Amino acid sequence: MSNSTLAPDRPRSRFLALLLPFLLEAALVVSWSAGFLGIRFASDHAPIFLILLWRSLISGLLLLPFALTMGPRLRWSDVPPQILFGALAMAGYLSGFALAIGRGVPTGLVALIADMLPLMVALLSWPLLGQRLTPLQWLGSLIGFVGVLIASAGALKLGDVPLWAYGLPILGTLSFALATLLQKRSPAGALPVHQSLCLQCLAAAAILALPAWFEGGVAPVMKLGFVGGILWLVIVATFGSWSLYYLALRRFSPARVTAVLYLSPPVTMIWAWIMFGEPLSWAMAIGLAVSLGGIVLFSWAPETAHVESKAKAG
């Protein structure tokens, strides 16, 4: 009797096991893409570093009471690794793109370089984590990148800027890739998401205060567009996308989590079409379909090979 009772639950549990990762990754893509809209709202009213400063500061302060009262007690030894992760993943990553755009690197090219994150994570996973992609995963990742190229081809233009400025978004993307892999490997990455996110946001705010001050000051701009943009960035981009990113990072390999972000540029274009009436094109639709195909192929491929475990087994 017990076997017949439990049997119908097995297909349901298998279905949920397949559905929940998909829902997590879909929510990550939607919220990650929506974060760019907050920047657009606020950038009409304030410099970019001031926006990044107040986004990080308010996020960290709102999370601080929960970080101190919920979860394991924070120790001083937990702080330095989280400062490093915040410096790399938030301050370094975002500053690289902000400085590049400020120096005249075209926004389309900056976005395209940002979408090389999955490839950088895949390349660095072997030396840092002992993981390497299978041929099928490499194929899915490359197909996803081709989809990004197709979708953003219309926005890709080379500008007349110093050659070194093109290295800024590359350094920013590399900074985020390193933060992702180091957090996956470090015991400090096991902190509850709200605690690690709080410490990282406060660390990023302290770092971003200096360029914001040089850019014109650290005082907030008391305009509705700035306030609305910051609230959007705090609630949707920080509490939404970064929390989902870290949750997914604990469940899946870094290569898989970042590969999902190939869908971010086309979804961002859809957001811009809905909210700002920006035109869509067939290239965007085709690029979205190609990237989605690459992500599906990557997700269905066998798990990454663990070089170290294979060596031990041999």
Side-chain angles (χ1 to χ4, degrees):
M1 180 180 295
S2 60
N3 290 339
S4 61
T5 304
L6 294 175
D9 291 334
R10 291 176 181 174
R12 182 181 303 173
S13 62
R14 291 175 183 172
F15 173 74
L16 290 175
L18 293 174
L19 180 62
L20 289 178
F22 170 77
L23 292 177
L24 175 61
E25 292 170 340
L28 172 61
V29 171
V30 172
S31 60
W32 196 273
S33 305
F36 293 103
L37 302 179
I39 295 289
R40 166 156 181 175
F41 275 127
S43 61
D44 291 335
H45 306 279
I48 188 67
F49 278 111
L50 187 66
I51 297 169
L52 299 178
L53 164 64
W54 282 97
R55 165 195 172 172
S56 301
L57 181 60
I58 293 177
S59 298
L61 291 177
L62 289 177
L63 287 170
L64 186 58
F66 302 98
L68 295 176
T69 59
M70 298 174 60
R73 184 172 182 176
L74 290 173
R75 300 168 299 179
W76 283 111
S77 59
D78 296 324
V79 176
Q82 299 300 329
I83 292 176
L84 175 62
F85 301 150
L88 291 172
M90 294 186 182
Y93 174 62
L94 297 172
S95 296
F97 301 122
L99 289 171
I101 293 174
R103 288 292 179 176
V105 179
T107 305
L109 182 58
V110 170
L112 183 59
I113 294 173
D115 294 324
M116 293 172 62
L117 173 66
L119 292 178
M120 289 191 179
V121 168
L123 291 172
L124 293 174
S125 290
W126 190 353
L128 291 180
L129 297 181
Q131 296 177 348
R132 57 183 176 187
L133 300 190
T134 64
L136 198 58
Q137 287 176 321
W138 272 116
L139 179 60
S141 186
L142 291 173
I143 290 174
F145 185 62
V146 170
V148 172
L149 285 174
I150 295 172
S152 57
L156 183 58
K157 297 178 181 178
L158 294 176
D160 184 18
V161 297
L163 184 61
W164 60 265
Y166 291 98
L168 293 172
I170 296 176
L171 290 175
T173 304
L174 181 61
S175 177
F176 192 18
L178 282 173
T180 296
L181 296 173
L182 290 175
Q183 184 156 339
K184 183 72 173 181
R185 188 180 68 174
S186 172
L191 275 180
V193 171
H194 69 285
Q195 291 182 325
S196 61
L197 194 59
C198 172
L199 294 175
Q200 291 180 31
C201 285
L202 292 177
I207 296 170
L208 292 166
L210 184 60
W213 183 75
F214 277 110
E215 201 174 36
V218 297
V221 178
M222 303 311 295
K223 292 182 180 179
L224 184 60
F226 177 81
V227 174
I230 294 298
L231 290 177
W232 180 278
L233 287 170
V234 169
I235 297 170
V236 178
T238 305
F239 295 166
S241 62
W242 283 91
S243 297
L244 290 169
Y245 182 81
Y246 286 145
L247 286 172
L249 191 61
R250 296 179 184 193
R251 184 181 181 94
F252 309 115
S253 69
R256 172 171 174 172
V257 175
T258 52
V260 171
L261 297 181
Y262 274 138
L263 297 175
S264 178
V267 173
T268 300
M269 295 171 189
I270 295 174
W271 270 104
W273 172 65
I274 294 173
M275 300 189 68
F276 303 113
E278 293 186 1
L280 294 176
S281 67
W282 281 108
M284 296 176 188
I286 295 171
L288 176 60
V290 172
S291 290
L292 182 59
I295 299 307
V296 170
L297 182 63
F298 189 103
S299 300
W300 284 356
E303 287 297 317
T304 54
H306 291 260
V307 180
E308 294 177 357
S309 61
K310 285 188 175 183
K312 291 178 181 178

